[in-house]
Amino acid sequence: MRTLQERFGKITTFIFDVDGVMTDGSVNALESGEQFRTFNIRDGYAIERAVHSGYRVAVLSAGNQVGVRKRLEFLKIKDIFMGGPTEQKLHAYLGYLNREQINEAEVLYMGDDIPDFQILSRPDLLSACPADAADEIRAVCDYVSPVAGGRGAVRDLIEQVMKAQNKWLSWLTTDEPFEIKNER
């Protein structure tokens, strides 16, 4: 049986749920009907580093809020699957792997609740969850982050993988230019 560090070393693809993983699971309902979420900026930084370092990053969520999609697009995530029925998450996941010809042993999926159970319990997948995930989810995951969802669990996971592959701070030793984005 390979160690967790060895398995982290094989990861090429991160797939994340949104609510409870990238956010703390809270929904703020406005009078207008909009339901917004709050994301952790450090999670966003880690996602940008992963994308820049050549990892595939995908999101699979039953939710379909425009603001969430815009945040994910801002982070340069290209594979965004939102709005499908909760019961169809496994089908969407398998379809993505098949279409992109991704070996499941190279995938790390992070989810937090029962709708993620069918994916997280797959034997070839490296499964992860935040510290505050549902009991049933923590029981089947290979890695339980010490950090809660929406509070840096995504950052923790990406950092663990990139450190195992000696990629986390590798950009500090290059002459990569720093780019300031004008968001007006």
Side-chain angles (χ1 to χ4, degrees):
M1 187 66 151
R2 292 188 308 179
T3 68
L4 189 57
Q5 287 299 311
E6 289 172 328
R7 292 182 74 193
F8 280 159
K10 303 290 184 196
I11 298 303
T12 63
T13 305
F14 294 98
I15 304 176
F16 298 103
D17 181 26
V18 174
D19 292 326
V21 172
M22 299 178 110
T23 75
D24 68 3
S26 298
V27 176
N28 297 290
L30 301 178
E31 187 176 329
S32 67
E34 181 182 1
Q35 298 177 17
F36 72 90
R37 277 90 166 154
T38 302
F39 290 82
N40 184 290
I41 197 74
R42 290 184 182 151
D43 285 348
Y45 174 76
I47 290 168
E48 286 182 329
R49 291 296 341 147
V51 169
H52 184 78
S53 296
Y55 293 90
R56 284 187 180 102
V57 178
V59 170
L60 182 56
S61 177
N64 197 18
Q65 296 294 317
V66 173
V68 170
R69 181 177 292 279
K70 286 183 178 183
R71 172 68 179 155
L72 300 174
E73 289 170 350
F74 176 80
L75 295 173
K76 309 275 188 291
I77 299 173
K78 292 182 177 30
D79 298 316
I80 302 170
F81 306 96
M82 295 176 63
T86 301
E87 307 80 41
Q88 293 297 316
K89 276 186 127 173
L90 178 61
H91 179 70
Y93 166 78
L94 293 173
Y96 173 64
L97 295 189
N98 186 50
R99 187 178 68 250
E100 299 297 322
Q101 299 180 350
I102 300 170
N103 178 343
E104 193 168 31
E106 297 175 357
V107 175
L108 202 161
Y109 183 98
M110 182 177 250
D112 74 307
D113 208 352
I114 302 305
D116 301 303
F117 185 87
Q118 285 184 302
I119 297 171
L120 291 169
S121 59
R122 295 179 60 80
D124 292 337
L125 170 75
L126 183 51
S127 57
C129 67
D132 59 343
D135 291 341
E136 298 87 351
I137 298 303
R138 286 195 318 269
V140 298
C141 283
D142 300 304
Y143 179 74
V144 177
S145 173
V147 185
R151 300 286 184 242
V154 169
R155 161 75 175 255
D156 170 60
L157 185 63
I158 291 173
E159 191 173 328
Q160 295 291 329
V161 169
M162 291 183 76
K163 282 180 176 177
Q165 297 179 15
N166 296 314
K167 293 181 180 181
W168 178 244
L169 295 179
S170 63
W171 64 274
L172 288 175
T173 59
T174 68
D175 293 328
E176 182 179 309
F178 180 76
E179 178 184 335
I180 297 176
K181 298 177 184 177
N182 184 351
E183 294 185 26
R184 285 192 251 172

